[in-house]
Amino acid sequence: MTTRAKLTVYSALATALAALCLTPLLTTKGWITHAFLVVAVVAAVGAGLRRTPFYRWTVPAGQLLALALLLLVGFASSAAVFGGLVPGPESVRLLGRTLSQGFHDVRDYAIPAPPSPGLRLILVGSVGLIAVVVDTVAVTYRRSALAGLPLLALYSIGNGLAGDDGNWLWFATAAAGYLVLLFAEGQDRVSRWGRIFRGSERDGEGSGTGTLGRSGQQVGVLALALALLLPVFLPRWDSGLVHRGTGSGTGTAGAVSSLDPLITLTGAIPKPRNVELFSYKSESPAADSTYLRTGSLEVFDGVSWKRGSAATVPFTGTFPAPEGLGSTDLAQQLKAEVRIGPQLDDAWLPMPYPPVGVTLRDNGAWQLDPVTSSLLPAREKAIKGLNYTVTALDVRPTATALRTVPTPPERIRDQYLVVPRDLPPVVRDTALRVTGKAKTGYDKAVALRDWFTGPDFTYDATTRTDSGSDAMKDFLERRRGFCVHFASTMAVMARILGVPARVALGFTPGNTKGNNVYAVTDAMYHAWPELYFEGYGWLRFEPTPTRGVQPDYSDPTSSPATQPTTQPTVEPQASAPVQLPSANPDCDAKLRRTGDCGDRQESAGGAGEESWLLSGKVLTGLASAALVLFLLLTPMVWRARLRRRRLGGGGRRRPGGPGAVPLTDAQVLAAWDELIDSAWDLGIPPDDSRTPRAAARRIAETAELDEGAAAAAGRVALATERVLYARSAEVGEPLAADVRTARNGLRAHAGRRGRIRALLLPASSAQLRWRISEALLTARLAVGSRIARAIGAVTGPVRRLTARRPGRGGRGGSGGNGGNGGTGS
């Protein structure tokens, strides 16, 4: 492989490794495959253009054109012409709209964001541009050192945006790619100094290239190790590369649009740590069945749920009247004192819904969403350690009243009945089938809830975490998912059936700690649908099996009072008693109500264990350990197998053993190679300019071998010279034993550090790299030869046909000349 080809491959590799730091930015990782394809195509186009006689500046121009075509095909193929194969003007306009939507998504979503087409376009396009810049600088203009700047920019932006999701492994991979690129260019520069500085191919004594190469590699590895280890001992700097903003206290706060509760929810549910986030104290009889709501999402665009409007106002201590609630006489008040712990530092304010009042020590730290009555932080960590008292309404309608509610107003219908046009048909068909016998909106909601909580569905927190149309279709087919899937799917189905719906986010009721105090952990992150009923506003329904608490009004067979009741809402809804382990002190009234005492405790412990096992830090550590182990074992294992094969190990008869036959020439030369490589591993590099006996003498003198080891090395050298120079040579000496004797003497001279280095990182393993390079070169030449033969077979007839035509024309011309001559005479 030529140096330019190596640089092309290594620059593409460096870009791909640096791009890995962007993977935590989206909830899915499929886009990185598209990015790698773009990097490979950009490198291939550059390699092809550099073989043409065009100017060098045409290479990056051609790569940018190829990148644009790839993005058009990948993100705007629906507007292409000729069956979607050729991009047209409409494709360019569609790509522009997708890019514009991506910039809007950057402002609307936190990390990790859903994989919208706009965000994927930005990421893939950015990686492609970096690939063009790196290839141009490192390969086209041969300035590999400057290629570190775009790679550093890519790493810094990705790791800075990822925040806590970024880690040192991304830096290690990006730095490794950059170092490989530098080594390739450095090796090429040194090789141009001339053959005199290289010495032997095995890098013998006095070899300038080998010394410089080893020094450069040591400096590079040392710099990388320091870059990884030094931050561990330095003080932490809390201000990240990209600051989310503090907000001005007026208008929309800077942190409002970036703190997406759905992303927090989908990230926390699959791997809870079971740590207490906050606690609340309430003497209300409904305290153990009250959900702590943080916010709601009103718009579903087919990719994810998001807020309907980012407009907020400064919170002044008062809430607007609950949307759709006709009279507060239909509800009773619920008061709770909430204490936020240190584990919850970025979140919207947890409150029962609908809130009517809250006491905060600093109202300026919060912004109010007047549509959903949610309080959003105006600055970072506004909620950490916060204590506040909230008053909310506990709405208690009857099933009969909900069946007779009037039609929602047009404003509600226009906003909360919208579904994407490209929604999978299975969603609409299933909604109509499940609620076929229901007449009212309430009965349809109950039918959907009963279907989801029935035996056909399974709660599974290990499924895909996105909530788009594809995930919804997969959820209905597999019937496995967690609360986000149940809530989003029921909300969309309710909209299809004409019931306004949205997705609410927050926490299920806490576990009792005694004295009317309840603890809420990260395992209680939850999502549920809220359905609108005119006169009663937004009401909670619970479709997720084995999670949460069903509200009284969702039971159509019950007969609740028409007036607000003061009776506790913790009595079992089922007519038959539920068998529970009464001796379990952790089973509170809420768990007894849901019949989930034993399962809840077991699943919590299992979740914690699974969370530890599958946590990012543990996986990163295991992957790093596996990578280091692989790098350490590869040369060691290869060297050990080579030694065993040379000396006749592995169950084969050793040369010179009992009953041994004369050694073949190959066995003698293998023993000599093993002696030379053993000395190389233990600090004595080979010198191919010496004869075998001179080389053995040099090894014995350098290592100060004792008489027995020196004699053993001499016998191996003498047998090698017989094979190389004698007319007929039969060797029957036990060369394997001589090699082992000489090697033991070399090990004694090398010391402990030398023996460890020879075991873990044998210097002779450089031959493995040479063999791989030779195999690749042979394969490339073989493929090139076959391609040339194939091209010749195809173009040969054409060349022969072309060669005949001028001949016939020449004979015709000759006849014409003769004719003219005859006429002239």
Side-chain angles (χ1 to χ4, degrees):
M1 183 183 295
T2 63
T3 301
R4 179 169 289 177
K6 288 182 180 179
L7 291 177
T8 302
V9 173
Y10 292 155
S11 63
L13 178 63
T15 305
L17 292 178
L20 290 175
C21 69
L22 301 177
T23 52
L25 301 186
L26 298 186
T27 55
T28 59
K29 307 297 186 291
W31 68 270
I32 196 67
T33 304
H34 193 176
F36 286 166
L37 175 63
V38 168
V39 172
V41 172
V42 165
V45 170
L49 290 176
R50 279 187 288 268
R51 299 178 68 89
T52 63
F54 300 137
Y55 292 104
R56 286 197 294 184
W57 62 266
T58 61
V59 177
Q63 290 175 313
L64 290 175
L65 179 60
L67 174 61
L69 292 176
L70 285 174
L71 296 180
L72 286 171
V73 172
F75 295 94
S77 59
S78 60
V81 295
F82 297 108
L85 299 177
V86 180
E90 184 59 31
S91 299
V92 178
R93 287 190 285 269
L94 177 58
L95 190 69
R97 291 194 297 269
T98 304
L99 182 62
S100 177
Q101 183 59 44
F103 289 129
H104 285 289
D105 292 341
V106 169
R107 296 192 297 268
D108 292 340
Y109 291 113
I111 303 301
S116 67
L119 292 178
R120 289 188 286 112
L121 172 60
I122 291 176
L123 290 177
V124 174
S126 300
V127 173
L129 287 175
I130 294 296
V132 173
V133 175
V134 172
D135 186 88
T136 301
V137 174
V139 188
T140 304
Y141 290 95
R142 296 294 185 95
R143 295 291 185 269
S144 297
L146 294 180
L149 295 178
L151 292 174
L152 178 62
L154 182 63
Y155 164 77
S156 300
I157 293 175
N159 206 55
L161 290 176
D164 293 338
D165 291 330
N167 54 56
W168 63 267
L169 182 59
W170 307 132
F171 174 78
T173 54
Y178 179 53
L179 288 178
V180 168
L181 182 60
L182 288 180
F183 290 160
E185 188 191 43
Q187 186 180 20
D188 174 62
R189 289 178 180 271
V190 175
S191 66
R192 296 183 185 181
W193 294 355
R195 181 73 180 177
I196 188 172
F197 293 101
R198 290 194 62 181
S200 69
E201 216 176 48
R202 283 185 170 180
D203 193 19
E205 274 185 328
S207 167
T209 303
T211 303
L212 186 61
R214 286 195 300 270
S215 300
Q217 293 174 6
Q218 292 171 359
V219 170
V221 173
L222 180 61
L224 178 58
L226 288 177
L228 292 174
L229 297 177
L230 192 58
V232 178
F233 304 99
L234 293 179
R236 180 181 176 86
W237 184 29
D238 290 332
S239 299
L241 176 68
V242 179
H243 194 61
R244 284 191 293 186
T246 60
S248 60
T250 61
T252 303
V256 169
S257 63
S258 65
L259 190 59
D260 191 332
L262 183 60
I263 300 300
T264 302
L265 185 72
T266 56
I269 287 178
K271 44 185 179 183
R273 297 174 297 164
N274 287 311
V275 297
E276 182 176 323
L277 301 179
F278 63 92
S279 63
Y280 63 93
K281 180 178 182 180
S282 176
E283 297 180 357
S284 170
D288 62 350
S289 61
T290 298
Y291 282 42
L292 280 297
R293 180 180 180 274
T294 56
S296 64
L297 306 174
E298 300 85 36
V299 176
F300 180 65
D301 58 4
V303 177
S304 66
W305 285 85
K306 57 180 71 174
R307 294 176 56 211
S309 174
T312 59
V313 296
F315 181 61
T316 59
T318 59
F319 291 93
E323 186 176 37
L325 184 61
S327 173
T328 57
D329 294 337
L330 300 173
Q332 63 180 4
Q333 286 195 352
L334 183 150
K335 187 176 182 180
E337 300 175 3
V338 185
R339 295 179 177 271
I340 305 296
Q343 299 294 335
L344 187 64
D345 54 4
D346 281 333
W348 297 3
L349 197 67
M351 298 180 296
Y353 182 82
V356 294
V358 64
T359 58
L360 296 167
R361 62 171 178 258
D362 183 8
N363 288 341
W366 298 91
Q367 294 280 315
L368 173 67
D369 183 348
V371 177
T372 63
S373 296
S374 303
L375 287 181
L376 293 77
R379 59 172 181 257
E380 287 191 44
K381 304 186 186 302
I383 196 174
K384 189 173 184 179
L386 182 65
N387 299 331
Y388 58 95
T389 302
V390 59
T391 303
L393 298 178
D394 183 18
V395 182
R396 295 171 177 268
T398 66
T400 302
L402 293 179
R403 288 190 175 98
T404 59
V405 296
T407 303
E410 184 178 357
R411 177 185 60 83
I412 296 294
R413 297 198 306 270
D414 292 343
Q415 182 176 358
Y416 297 102
L417 291 180
V418 178
V419 294
R421 293 182 179 179
D422 58 349
L423 195 68
V426 65
V427 182
R428 183 180 301 273
D429 296 342
T430 304
L432 296 175
R433 176 176 55 82
V434 171
T435 61
K437 297 181 180 180
K439 303 300 182 183
T440 67
Y442 170 77
D443 291 322
K444 294 176 181 178
V446 172
L448 288 176
R449 188 278 315 272
D450 291 343
W451 184 64
F452 282 119
T453 57
D456 294 337
F457 282 86
T458 302
Y459 183 90
D460 185 2
T462 63
T463 56
R464 54 190 296 181
T465 59
D466 54 319
S467 57
S469 297
D470 293 337
M472 195 174 297
K473 177 177 178 291
D474 182 67
F475 167 66
L476 290 176
E477 291 174 350
R478 299 179 65 245
R479 300 193 178 183
R480 302 180 69 90
F482 55 93
C483 61
V484 172
H485 306 103
F486 286 95
S488 61
T489 306
M490 180 173 173
V492 171
M493 286 183 169
R495 290 186 174 190
I496 293 173
L497 299 172
V499 182
R502 64 189 185 188
V503 174
L505 308 167
F507 302 88
T508 56
N511 293 327
T512 181
K513 298 173 66 176
N515 298 324
N516 298 320
V517 178
Y518 302 86
V520 177
T521 69
D522 61 342
M524 297 174 184
Y525 274 115
H526 196 52
W528 61 92
E530 287 182 341
L531 276 56
Y532 182 88
F533 294 89
E534 182 65 21
Y536 296 92
W538 294 98
L539 298 179
R540 169 177 59 87
F541 283 78
E542 183 53 83
T544 306
T546 73
R547 293 298 182 273
V549 178
Q550 297 292 344
D552 290 335
Y553 54 77
S554 67
D555 183 4
T557 62
S558 63
S559 301
T562 57
Q563 298 296 327
T565 178
T566 59
Q567 297 300 319
T569 60
V570 297
E571 296 300 325
Q573 294 182 357
S575 58
V578 180
Q579 297 295 329
L580 296 174
S582 58
N584 187 354
D586 296 329
C587 185
D588 60 8
K590 180 196 70 172
L591 298 181
R592 289 196 299 271
R593 182 177 184 178
T594 60
D596 197 28
C597 280
D599 295 341
R600 183 68 170 262
Q601 297 299 327
E602 182 179 356
S603 63
E609 183 178 357
E610 182 180 10
S611 168
W612 178 88
L613 182 62
L614 300 179
S615 64
K617 292 183 178 179
V618 173
L619 288 179
T620 300
L622 291 177
S624 304
L627 178 61
V628 172
L629 187 62
F630 175 80
L631 294 177
L632 286 176
L633 290 181
T634 297
M636 181 173 64
V637 171
W638 176 83
R639 185 68 182 88
R641 292 186 61 184
L642 181 62
R643 181 184 304 113
R644 186 164 54 248
R645 186 168 65 250
R646 285 172 171 174
L647 300 183
R652 294 162 52 188
R653 192 184 325 175
R654 295 183 179 180
V661 297
L663 301 179
T664 64
D665 294 351
Q667 290 174 321
V668 173
L669 296 178
W672 172 250
D673 287 338
E674 178 56 32
L675 176 63
I676 295 299
D677 289 346
S678 298
W680 191 3
D681 293 340
L682 293 165
I684 304 176
D687 185 356
D688 293 341
S689 64
R690 299 174 182 265
T691 63
R693 276 188 289 182
R697 190 181 308 112
R698 170 176 167 266
I699 292 174
E701 292 173 355
T702 303
E704 300 178 355
L705 298 181
D706 57 24
E707 184 177 352
R715 286 192 294 270
V716 177
L718 181 59
T720 303
E721 288 188 347
R722 289 178 182 174
V723 170
L724 293 176
Y725 308 122
R727 179 175 302 177
S728 176
E730 280 192 1
V731 179
E733 292 87 347
L735 295 186
D738 288 336
V739 172
R740 293 189 179 91
T741 301
R743 186 168 177 269
N744 290 335
L746 291 169
R747 286 171 52 83
H749 167 74
R752 179 179 299 176
R753 294 181 58 183
R755 291 193 295 269
I756 295 175
R757 184 174 63 248
L759 175 65
L760 299 179
L761 296 173
S764 62
S765 62
Q767 297 172 101
L768 178 61
R769 184 188 64 187
W770 301 342
R771 294 186 181 184
I772 294 175
S773 300
E774 291 173 359
L776 292 176
L777 177 60
T778 303
R780 185 174 66 85
L781 293 176
V783 171
S785 176
R786 292 183 180 180
I787 294 175
R789 288 198 299 269
I791 294 175
V794 173
T795 60
V798 178
R799 290 198 303 268
R800 289 192 294 271
L801 181 61
T802 305
R804 292 195 189 102
R805 288 178 179 175
R808 290 195 295 268
R811 289 193 295 271
S814 176
N817 292 336
N820 291 337
T823 303
S825 63

